[in-house]
Amino acid sequence: MNALFLILIALVTLGAAATAMALRNLIHSVLLLIGSWIGVSVFYLFAGAEFVAFAQVLVYVGAVSMVVLFAVLLTRRSRLDISVTPDSLSRAISAVLAAGAVLGVLLYGIVFTPLPGAAPKGPSATVKQLGVELMGDHAAALLIIGLILTVATLGAVVIASNDPKAEDRQ
Amino acid sequence: MLGSGLLQGLGVTAKNLVGSFHDPKRLTTVEYPEQKTKLPEAYRNFPFLVSESAEDPMGTLRCVACQICEKECPPQCIFIEKSKDKKPDATGKMQIYPAVFLIDSSVCMNCQICVEVCPFDAIKMDHEYEIATTERFNALLLDREALAKPNSYFHEIRPEEAAEVDGRLAAERKAAEEKAKAAALAKASAAAKPAAPPSAVPPKAEPPKPSASA
Amino acid sequence: MTAPINPADSLLERAPQALRDLVTSHFPQPWRWFANGLLADVAILAVFGLLFAALTLAERKILGRVQNRPGPNRTGPFGLLQPIADGIKMLSKEDIVPRDADHLLHFLAPVTLLASAIMAFAVIPYGRNLVPVDLDAGVLYFFCVGATTELAVFMAGWSSHNKYSLLAAMRALAQLISYELPLLLSWVPVVMISGTLSTTGIVAAQSGWRWGWMPTWHVFTPWGLAGFIIFMVSALAESNRSPFDLPEAESELIAGHLTEYSGCKYVFFFMAEYFGMTALSGMAVTLFLGGWHAPLPALEFIPSYAWFGIKLISLLMGFIWIRATFPRLRMDQLTRFAWKFLVPLALINLATAAFWSLSFGWSGPMLAARCGVALVLVIVPFVLLGRRLTAGLAPRSYAYAT
């Protein structure tokens, strides 16, 4: 029963992602991508990580999806502008290389991460435990992520703000 | 401070909400089908025919079928057929009367010109505004039975104008009676003195009557 | 909704659970949990469906009275059957889909919106032992379900294949995203103080009495009051209610992203708006107003769900009162209010709550100092930011034409 459920979640998630890549209509692709994210969050829920699952929906479906949608709507000129064939052979090769590198890193991470053989089937981690873990053992990672996001936010503010003095000088 | 204006506004609406329950002066809504506002006297909507009595409206119509309104009506919504016989009108004079009087209410534009031109005060503007019907053709073509309304109704909707019309008609009736009396007197004296000149009562006492009624 | 009956409770207090057990005891034991869940769903849909109908009527009646007119009074006695007449009218309307519309998304948008609005009811504790699903991260679940609203609005605007719909959807998204942040920040202090994300845990943290009579609700603390006000203002904006009803703006836009919707689908949007408003009010009751707890120890004989209902309906009446009072904001005023006023206040409120949490052990004269510092932390930023926000705008002087 559980295995069947897991396979179903995986099929929906991966199917949505694959269809998103194949579709010509970018908006449909984005919406399918969001469906794939929801699938991932359902998987977290299935694995008993309530907090992570809800945070996934809140952040990805609520916020990131909007960024992607706005980006698509603001950049796309017409449906015909999107080329289906690569511009040149070198570009295609570099794209394949970059994608392959990412895949390799991910696969390496997945295959060689030591996992505890049989996870204890205890009660799921409470929010307090999560907080203690984040602020204790993983404080450095949290700080780095915070720094990166702050830099990104500052960059966005700098790009978006119009400096009246700079405009005068031009 | 920010928000004090918002609180003031909330206070105003709360006062209105509570006030509308205990202060009848605040609720000015007239709930139309049950309640109706009193229309101003000069309000006009669609003409009606004035009859003297409520019991016999067809016998006492003031209309003498002179057809002036029919000719003057800009959208030509009036149709009149004269009667063959005569009967006494409001002033006691023998007159013909409308055998058929039709107004097409789908054509009438409530301009009041028929009322302005009528020399007999026989057609007046009504206060009726619920004139919707469920049928498009015959129900909108009003005949004289549907158009006739008694003088008492006229008094009800336009007391000032009705009183003035009644006064004028009474004066005319009185003048006509005096003239008839004088004529009878003159006839009697003429019979007594065949050489005497004709009656001294000038015909001007009678108001100018249009040729159609003659 | 699987908590066992506590025999110490009063008869009325136990009534919903006893009723539940009466119905579900006919099911075999392995399916009992499923029957319980189904029953909770039916109860939520019935109660909040009726509340939705009553709310539409109450709104029109109250708006009428505020504007010194009687409101709807034609259908049934005092117009009480008006919601039924509205429902029949809306459902019997033709469902028009534009020829060039994206049919699937056009259909999915209202369904997604309504589904997410109904799902939000799952974690609210309606009374003692009356919570449909007691999740460990219940508050987070509530707001993550609410986040799909934005997606549905975008789908509605884009799939209509109408430039007005798309532009209005973008405006609506800008508003929803702007107010999502203060909404989320306003309840973080509650989680900080209660130490839990579970809705039942947060209600439990507000039980008990200070000095024997004063309820320990979060709204009676300085940070709680500020958080409650920020929460309610953001909830107004998130549920597209006046004075933040720009996305629809009945009187000037052609219904915004709902331009191409009619009949049943429009009803879905309409229902989702009211369900969202009700759910957010229910969450505000849970987070700040002590959930189902009675306001005075002497009033505890009234069952807990009645207290929850009273608080919920008071908040909804507040929504209607606000709608009857305030004019609509302009788009730039709307976003400025969110980013330059609510978000900074919510962030400062986090610091206030942190101070409150650190000064937990203070007593005696230090208790007064604790309250004083917290009040200063709440009021001073409010006054300063408010002065900046309204600089050059208030007080206004009017020159009448002579």
Side-chain angles (χ1 to χ4, degrees), chain C residues 210-266:
Chain C
R210 193 173 294 135
W211 307 312
W213 58 271
M214 191 182 159
T216 53
W217 300 353
H218 289 146
V219 75
F220 294 128
T221 56
W223 60 268
L225 184 65
F228 176 64
I229 293 171
I230 296 170
F231 187 92
M232 287 318 281
V233 171
S234 311
L236 272 177
E238 283 289 308
S239 51
N240 292 345
R241 295 281 302 181
S242 176
F244 303 106
D245 55 348
L246 285 97
E248 265 187 76
E250 289 159 334
S251 47
E252 50 221 52
L253 291 184
I254 37 175
H257 56 279
L258 310 180
T259 305
E260 301 293 357
Y261 281 95
S262 57
C264 197
K265 288 179 191 162
Y266 185 81

Side-chain angles (χ1 to χ4, degrees), chain B residues 24-37:
Chain B
K25 256 183 280 174
R26 281 183 186 268
L27 270 187
T28 51
T29 309
V30 178
E31 297 189 36
Y32 159 60
E34 291 91 30
Q35 305 168 1
K36 287 177 184 173
T37 46

